[in-house]
Amino acid sequence: MKHIISPLDLSLSELSDVLNLAEKIIANPKQYSECCRGKKLATLFYEPSTRTRLSFEAAMLNLGGSILGFSSADSSSAAKGESVADTIRVVSSYADICAMRHPKEGAPLVASTYSSIPVINAGDGGHNHPTQTLTDLLTIKNLKGRLNNLTIGFCGDLKFGRTVHSLINAMVRYEGIKFVLISPDELKIPTYLREEVLDRGNIPYEEVKNLEAVMPDLDILYMTRVQKERFFNEEDYIRLKDSFILDAKKMAGAKDDMLVLHPLPRVNEIATEVDNDPRAVYFKQAEFGVYARMALIMSLLNVIPLE
């Protein structure tokens, strides 16, 4: 039995298999509509979520399975003080596979040590979000045709953004990857990520504060939200916030085939005028999240399409 707690829990070979399966599902979803008949997915979400929870549920329903679970800690026995370990012990007897989101880093890992069913980390604090990473990789692979030889810009909150941390950890395993890290000083990537992943792996990267200046160099632009609450004072936020808003003017300097990704939800970091640009693929990315999770569920349950 395998759990997915980190993006690195899948080897490159396993990752390739899951992504290839997801693309087969995209091409012919009806062929997979009964694969998980009789199987149950438990969604244990201790904090709010829209896309992740609903895409997991849509994925299992699309595979012919069924779902159960809760969408907040208040609606579970966690409100009475029940531990994650006890919850997963019980849920293991109700479901065949589990997706867990938790505000505390490491909670899904704890759950996996007590679980008798596969546990998928659906986001734990600012730590990991492996199925968002799988979604991001599927989007890039499907739309760019490759996962190597890419210059990827990450813009916004790189310090607290778990989607950024997860995708960097995943992409450094491919050849020819360069990162452009675009953020205010207050929101640079964590020191451990810079030293233990980028520097140790001799991965080329640069840290900049101006998005517009680097747009012509990028194959992928991964936007995130700059959050007001992350700044020590409002003056710094006001001074910097517009530098990290993507609009049509900044898009004019980008390559014709650059892709704009965003894990969503969006607030104001991408102007709505960008939505009609064919390079803006963040809503397509959200759609691909269902296919990525369908492929992962099938792989962990070791099911095959029914004839």
Side-chain angles (χ1 to χ4, degrees):
M1 182 178 64
K2 191 176 186 69
H3 305 288
I4 303 299
I5 307 302
S6 156
L8 303 184
D9 288 336
L10 291 172
S11 68
L12 279 178
S13 175
E14 290 170 328
L15 184 56
S16 178
D17 289 343
V18 172
L19 293 175
N20 289 338
L21 176 57
E23 291 192 307
K24 290 178 182 177
I25 296 171
I26 291 171
N28 187 8
K30 287 186 179 180
Q31 183 181 353
Y32 300 86
S33 62
E34 297 293 330
C35 287
C36 287
R37 183 192 303 163
K39 302 289 188 180
K40 299 183 186 71
L41 165 73
T43 52
L44 311 183
F45 276 63
Y46 289 81
E47 63 179 5
S49 168
T50 301
R51 271 151 301 278
T52 303
R53 182 173 62 86
L54 293 182
S55 63
F56 263 113
E57 294 179 354
M60 193 57 162
L61 293 172
N62 288 351
L63 292 169
S66 54
I67 56 173
L68 66 155
F70 52 83
S71 58
S72 72
D74 291 343
S75 60
S76 77
S77 288
K80 303 175 183 177
E82 183 175 53
S83 68
V84 165
D86 282 359
T87 297
I88 196 65
R89 281 189 179 107
V90 172
V91 170
S92 291
S93 65
Y94 297 160
D96 301 284
I97 189 168
C98 164
M100 174 181 285
R101 168 167 288 189
H102 202 286
K104 291 185 179 179
E105 297 179 3
L109 176 61
V110 170
S112 70
T113 64
Y114 292 92
S115 179
S116 58
I117 60 175
V119 173
I120 303 171
N121 178 6
D124 60 332
H127 196 214
N128 274 310
H129 198 343
T131 60
Q132 180 63 53
T133 300
L134 191 61
T135 297
D136 299 339
L137 294 175
L138 176 62
T139 304
I140 295 169
K141 181 177 185 292
N142 188 271
L143 300 179
K144 292 295 285 186
R146 67 186 191 278
L147 287 168
N148 56 2
N149 300 316
L150 293 167
T151 298
I152 304 173
F154 290 97
C155 181
D157 181 357
L158 310 189
K159 182 175 183 180
F160 299 99
R162 60 189 170 199
T163 60
V164 171
H165 305 166
S166 285
L167 188 53
I168 288 175
N169 270 303
M171 290 303 305
V172 296
R173 299 193 287 177
Y174 295 93
E175 294 182 355
I177 298 299
K178 177 184 177 181
F179 297 118
V180 181
L181 307 171
I182 311 148
S183 72
D185 288 336
E186 293 88 342
L187 297 176
K188 285 185 175 182
I189 63 167
T191 300
Y192 84 87
L193 196 60
R194 184 186 299 106
E195 294 178 354
E196 297 177 19
V197 178
L198 300 180
D199 292 340
R200 184 176 296 176
N202 293 315
I203 307 299
Y205 71 95
E206 58 178 318
E207 294 182 286
V208 301
K209 298 178 184 178
N210 188 297
L211 172 58
E212 199 164 5
V214 298
M215 287 290 280
D217 304 325
L218 305 179
D219 298 305
I220 304 289
L221 173 60
Y222 197 98
M223 293 294 297
T224 66
R225 180 165 58 98
V226 174
Q227 301 171 71
K228 184 177 180 179
E229 60 268 27
R230 301 300 192 190
F231 287 83
F232 292 113
N233 60 73
E234 188 171 358
E235 290 77 15
D236 283 346
Y237 172 74
I238 292 171
R239 175 174 53 85
L240 292 168
K241 67 182 180 65
D242 290 342
S243 301
F244 306 98
I245 293 176
L246 182 64
D247 55 22
K249 181 182 177 183
K250 292 184 178 75
M251 286 294 291
K255 295 177 181 178
D256 291 341
D257 63 347
M258 184 197 74
L259 299 179
V260 181
L261 277 66
H262 190 305
L264 301 178
R266 165 181 63 178
V267 181
N268 69 338
E269 60 277 10
I270 300 178
T272 55
E273 66 190 22
V274 176
D275 294 352
N276 294 325
D277 191 307
R279 296 169 292 183
V281 298
Y282 29 88
F283 293 116
K284 188 72 174 176
Q285 178 185 359
E287 178 188 345
F288 280 170
V290 176
Y291 300 121
R293 292 176 175 100
M294 287 172 72
L296 184 61
I297 289 168
M298 285 182 62
S299 299
L300 293 177
L301 292 179
N302 195 28
V303 297
I304 59 174
L306 301 177
E307 298 298 334

